[in-house]
Amino acid sequence: MSIDTDDPTVAAAPDPEPDNSLGGIFRAYLAKLRGGEVGSLPAVLGLIALVVVFSSLRPEQFTNSFNFANLIGQSAGVTVLAMGLVFVLLLGEIDLSAGFAGGTCAGVLGVFLTRQEWPLIPALLAALLTGALIGLLIGLLVARLGIPSFVVTLAAFLGLQGVLLTMIGEGGTIPIRNDFINGLNNANLPVWLGWALGLLCIVGYAASTYITDARRRAKNLTVQPLLLWALKTGLLTVVVVAVVGYLSVERSRNPALTSLKGVPVSLVVIVGLLILLTFTLTRTAWGRHVYAVGGNAEAARRAGINVFRVRLSCFILCSTMAAVAGIMIASRTNSVNPNTGGETTLLYAVGAAVIGGTSLFGGKGRVIDAVIGGTVVAVIDNGMGLLDQPQGTVWMVTGLVLLVAASVDALSRRRASATGHV
Amino acid sequence: MSPLLELHGVEKSFGAVQVLRGVDLSVQAGRVTALVGDNGAGKSTLVKGMAGIHLFDAGDYLFEGEPVKVTNPKDAAALGIEVVYQDLALCDNLDVVHNMFLGREMKRLRLVDEDTMEQRARETLDGLSVRTLKSVRTPVASLSGGQRQTVAIARAVLWNSKLVILDEPTAALGVAQTEQVLRLVRRLADRGLGVLLISHNLNDVFEVADDIAVLYLGGMVGQIDAASTTRERVVQAITTGVVPEGGAA
């Protein structure tokens, strides 16, 4: 083996025996951080800091399990919206209309379900299809005509706001009386089912990653140390047990009247979408192509990737996810009004994706970023509310956090290119 | 032995401007053919025509002795012709394996087959005796210029290609990295591939090339055997369009 004099910063992988001890793993992680690959770490640290601050200031109200479950329900709409936005942000594009696209789809659901008295499934499909159609239209305008996505989606934002208002009527509200829809963001799983699903997550993750690692180790390919696998699995186990355990506690103020316990259905929706979308993005060729187009569209084109189709599909996916988000928001309030998906919904969702570590420059981001960032945004909103802070202060703090997150992105990017020896 | 690639009397005009006037070129398997010429001599146009990006207006295009029609980059790739462009066309945010298989991912059960891709990437790099890349899972953003060039070249030979066209591969590199890339270019030819090297740098050309083809104002001055000529003669051919006596092959 000749000695490499070319680039000393490239992380060592299989050739020389990698350092698989705890210290070695820690040092490798530090090296990654120094190289500018910070991932979701700032968001996670920020989340911990926020939770500590709010818990110490309002120990009674913030940390009780009622508020914890409440927080998940509050954040569900924004988080789901942010998950869809990640795909558009990965391309280096933006979708400002996603919030009202969600509202419009929820409006469609309300019109068919309540006013037309359609059965659930066709009404639900109509809502999702509306989302896909909005995405198709935006995608065609951006990817085919080459209009900047900022302008197209700004126009769609204004237009869809009007569509929603016209559909529902000035000052009107469409109530939703379907138990399934209302249950999505209000009901809880039975305690046993929450534990069963939590256990399934842990075992599923542990087994699938272990089998993959073992196969790769047998083929002598790059693989994470066994200890790192154990650490990750352990961390996941702790988080899942803590969350499910806390949510399984009785949180009703008057348990004799109504019992409130178990994992909220909204959390299952979020985790389910997280797993599905992460799998699509990391394991399919389409997912690789999304990253490629976001990283270097010209290189992707020359490599034979259909850049147009990739762009179009991301916009369709984003708006379809917006439809799901709109339904989650409508479910929360059991109704649709002309402001569903409006106000700060979209801005919080973009903020959530960026705070979680998705880059606005494209090519960098994961679906879980949206979940972590969405939680940060929800904790600020919820915690500041408990501190009896006026809405003005809440928005100022949220803005500040978003600014810090965007700065971290820009700085780590600079760091990455500075250490890149280009 | 018949040449791997032959062009006869190739012409190309853009509107009223005739860029290529009856160019002849032949590239042999197992040899490095350098294509030199001053700015505007038509090097890029010639390469783009061979790669199927432009269509030649007239002339014969023979590959492995057979006349072929190359009307788009896919045709060229199907014949086994790969071009490494000057900007390399790599995605910084993806790792070495994903860049090498970009757009041609291997699949198993409709999912990306990371294991096989990584194995084949490693084999290809080992086959080219590349030792400067420690991990094929490093993102390209953190690689040096020479390592990026290596990845781009390795991508070109991954698909059992027969002819690799390199556009100014050393233009942006330092001395040590230029040396590495030139050694890699030499190894490609030693493995039996045809290599067409476009370069401005006569040091590089004389270090690695077997043949030197000189373009002058859209015409082929001549294809010279590198061993039997000198730098002065080549410079004269590039600047005046005339091969000095005793230099032509």
Side-chain angles (χ1 to χ4, degrees), chain B residues 87-162:
Chain B
D87 66 1
L88 303 185
L90 297 173
C91 288
D92 276 0
N93 58 335
L94 300 181
D95 65 28
V96 173
V97 176
H98 288 139
N99 264 294
M100 284 175 68
F101 285 86
L102 193 64
R104 300 190 262 198
E105 288 83 3
M106 303 178 79
K107 281 178 225 160
R108 209 169 64 96
L109 304 171
R110 308 199 63 206
L111 299 177
V112 175
D113 187 354
E114 298 282 348
D115 291 11
T116 315
M117 273 165 46
E118 185 172 330
Q119 264 172 335
R120 278 204 49 196
R122 182 84 61 72
E123 280 164 18
T124 304
L125 289 166
D126 288 348
L128 294 171
S129 309
V130 171
R131 296 214 168 73
T132 50
L133 278 173
K134 276 187 181 166
S135 170
V136 287
R137 286 298 178 187
T138 317
V140 164
S142 64
L143 299 184
S144 68
Q147 288 172 321
R148 285 156 172 262
Q149 189 74 50
T150 305
V151 173
I153 294 174
R155 172 165 72 181
V157 300
L158 186 63
W159 303 98
N160 298 320
S161 48
K162 293 167 184 157

Side-chain angles (χ1 to χ4, degrees), chain A residues 50-73:
Chain A
L50 285 167
V51 168
V52 168
V53 168
F54 290 134
S55 305
S56 55
L57 289 175
R58 286 285 182 278
E60 292 298 300
Q61 295 142 302
F62 184 75
T63 50
N64 72 43
S65 70
F66 177 78
N67 190 45
F68 185 52
N70 201 22
L71 194 127
I72 294 170

Side-chain angles (χ1 to χ4, degrees), chain A residues 20-274:
Chain A
N20 283 349
S21 68
L22 201 56
I25 291 170
F26 186 65
R27 275 192 297 277
Y29 184 62
L30 272 186
K32 230 172 98 169
L33 288 184
R34 272 201 299 270
E37 282 180 67
V38 291
S40 289
L41 185 71
V44 172
L45 291 180
L47 187 61
I48 293 171
L50 285 167
V51 168
V52 168
V53 168
F54 290 134
S55 305
S56 55
L57 289 175
R58 286 285 182 278
E60 292 298 300
Q61 295 142 302
F62 184 75
T63 50
N64 72 43
S65 70
F66 177 78
N67 190 45
F68 185 52
N70 201 22
L71 194 127
I72 294 170
Q74 285 172 350
S75 70
V78 166
T79 302
V80 172
L81 198 60
M83 283 196 240
L85 277 166
V86 164
F87 288 83
V88 171
L89 295 177
L90 272 176
L91 300 176
E93 308 277 359
I94 186 92
D95 186 353
L96 298 173
S97 70
F100 273 116
T104 304
C105 297
V108 168
L109 179 76
V111 166
F112 283 130
L113 206 56
T114 307
R115 289 191 186 158
Q116 308 290 325
E117 295 182 348
W118 281 23
L120 172 69
I121 303 285
L124 203 57
L125 284 179
L128 293 175
L129 200 67
T130 308
L133 274 175
I134 294 170
L136 178 74
L137 203 66
I138 294 172
L140 281 175
L141 291 171
V142 173
R144 185 59 92 197
L145 292 188
I147 312 172
S149 56
F150 187 90
V151 179
V152 173
T153 59
L154 185 61
F157 164 81
L158 294 168
L160 289 172
Q161 190 169 6
V163 170
L164 183 60
L165 186 59
T166 311
M167 197 158 48
I168 293 175
E170 211 114 7
T173 298
I174 303 179
I176 290 181
R177 300 191 195 88
N178 183 287
D179 287 340
F180 174 82
I181 297 291
N182 288 337
L184 279 178
N185 206 355
N186 291 302
N188 299 304
L189 296 181
V191 171
W192 67 268
L193 188 57
W195 280 113
L197 288 179
L199 200 67
L200 188 70
C201 276
I202 298 170
V203 174
Y205 174 82
S208 66
T209 47
Y210 185 82
I211 292 169
T212 307
D213 286 2
R215 194 186 62 225
R216 292 179 63 84
R217 204 168 282 120
K219 290 185 188 170
N220 204 14
L221 299 170
T222 335
V223 71
Q224 61 180 352
L226 198 59
L227 188 61
L228 186 59
W229 169 83
L231 283 176
K232 283 181 178 172
T233 307
L235 188 67
L236 181 75
T237 309
V238 169
V239 170
V240 170
V241 168
V243 168
V244 176
Y246 206 48
L247 289 170
S248 299
V249 178
E250 177 63 57
R251 52 181 181 264
S252 170
R253 295 206 174 103
N254 192 349
L257 202 64
T258 45
S259 176
L260 261 185
K261 57 182 175 183
V263 172
V265 175
S266 55
L267 186 61
V268 180
V269 174
I270 292 174
V271 174
L273 287 171
L274 170 67

